[in-house]
Amino acid sequence: MDATIWSGAYAVHRQYGDKSLGIARMRVAALLAEGDRAGHDIWYEIYRTLTILAPRKKSGTTLH
Protein backbone atom coordinates (compact mmCIF):
# COMPACT_ATOMS: atom_id res chain seq x y z
CA MET A 1 0.00 0.00 0.00
CA ASP A 2 1.20 3.47 -0.79
CA ALA A 3 2.92 5.41 2.01
CA THR A 4 0.83 8.48 1.16
CA ILE A 5 -2.38 6.57 1.85
CA TRP A 6 -0.99 5.32 5.17
CA SER A 7 0.06 8.82 6.23
CA GLY A 8 -3.35 10.19 5.22
CA ALA A 9 -5.15 7.46 7.15
CA TYR A 10 -2.95 8.05 10.18
CA ALA A 11 -3.66 11.81 10.05
CA VAL A 12 -7.44 11.21 9.84
CA HIS A 13 -7.25 8.68 12.69
CA ARG A 14 -5.20 11.05 14.83
CA GLN A 15 -7.61 13.93 14.22
CA TYR A 16 -10.93 12.09 14.58
CA GLY A 17 -10.06 9.06 16.71
CA ASP A 18 -12.91 6.55 16.99
CA LYS A 19 -15.01 8.61 14.56
CA SER A 20 -12.43 8.34 11.77
CA LEU A 21 -14.10 5.39 10.01
CA GLY A 22 -17.42 7.21 9.90
CA ILE A 23 -15.78 10.41 8.65
CA ALA A 24 -13.95 8.53 5.89
CA ARG A 25 -17.09 6.61 4.92
CA MET A 26 -19.07 9.86 4.60
CA ARG A 27 -16.26 11.44 2.56
CA VAL A 28 -16.20 8.45 0.18
CA ALA A 29 -19.97 8.69 -0.33
CA ALA A 30 -19.86 12.47 -0.86
CA LEU A 31 -17.08 12.25 -3.44
CA LEU A 32 -18.90 9.51 -5.30
CA ALA A 33 -22.08 11.60 -5.35
CA GLU A 34 -20.09 14.58 -6.66
CA GLY A 35 -18.61 12.42 -9.43
CA ASP A 36 -15.04 12.97 -8.23
CA ARG A 37 -13.67 9.55 -9.11
CA ALA A 38 -10.03 10.35 -8.30
CA GLY A 39 -10.94 11.76 -4.87
CA HIS A 40 -13.26 8.83 -4.24
CA ASP A 41 -10.51 6.32 -5.00
CA ILE A 42 -8.05 8.03 -2.65
CA TRP A 43 -10.54 8.30 0.20
CA TYR A 44 -11.69 4.72 -0.34
CA GLU A 45 -8.11 3.55 0.13
CA ILE A 46 -7.83 5.73 3.26
CA TYR A 47 -11.07 4.15 4.54
CA ARG A 48 -9.72 0.64 3.88
CA THR A 49 -6.51 1.50 5.71
CA LEU A 50 -8.47 2.91 8.65
CA THR A 51 -10.24 -0.43 9.01
CA ILE A 52 -6.81 -1.84 9.86
CA LEU A 53 -6.05 0.92 12.38
CA ALA A 54 -9.50 0.99 14.01
CA PRO A 55 -9.94 -0.90 17.27
CA ARG A 56 -11.88 -4.11 16.96
CA LYS A 57 -15.30 -4.13 18.58
CA LYS A 58 -15.76 -6.96 21.02
CA SER A 59 -18.61 -9.33 20.42
CA GLY A 60 -21.27 -9.86 23.05
CA THR A 61 -20.25 -13.43 23.80
CA THR A 62 -16.94 -14.68 25.04
CA LEU A 63 -15.85 -18.26 24.54
CA HIS A 64 -13.55 -19.77 27.14
Side-chain angles (χ1 to χ4, degrees):
M1 197 167 290
D2 188 61
T4 305
I5 297 298
W6 274 98
S7 63
Y10 181 73
V12 171
H13 184 68
R14 188 177 62 224
Q15 183 173 356
Y16 296 106
D18 291 342
K19 297 178 183 176
S20 61
L21 274 175
I23 298 291
R25 186 175 25 241
M26 287 189 299
R27 191 70 185 127
V28 167
L31 288 166
L32 187 60
E34 293 170 7
D36 183 352
R37 187 67 187 176
H40 167 270
D41 292 347
I42 291 168
W43 272 92
Y44 180 73
E45 289 302 319
I46 289 173
Y47 171 77
R48 285 178 26 142
T49 304
L50 284 169
T51 61
I52 297 168
L53 296 175
R56 302 281 183 241
K57 293 187 178 183
K58 295 182 180 179
S59 64
T61 59
T62 303
L63 300 176
H64 292 285

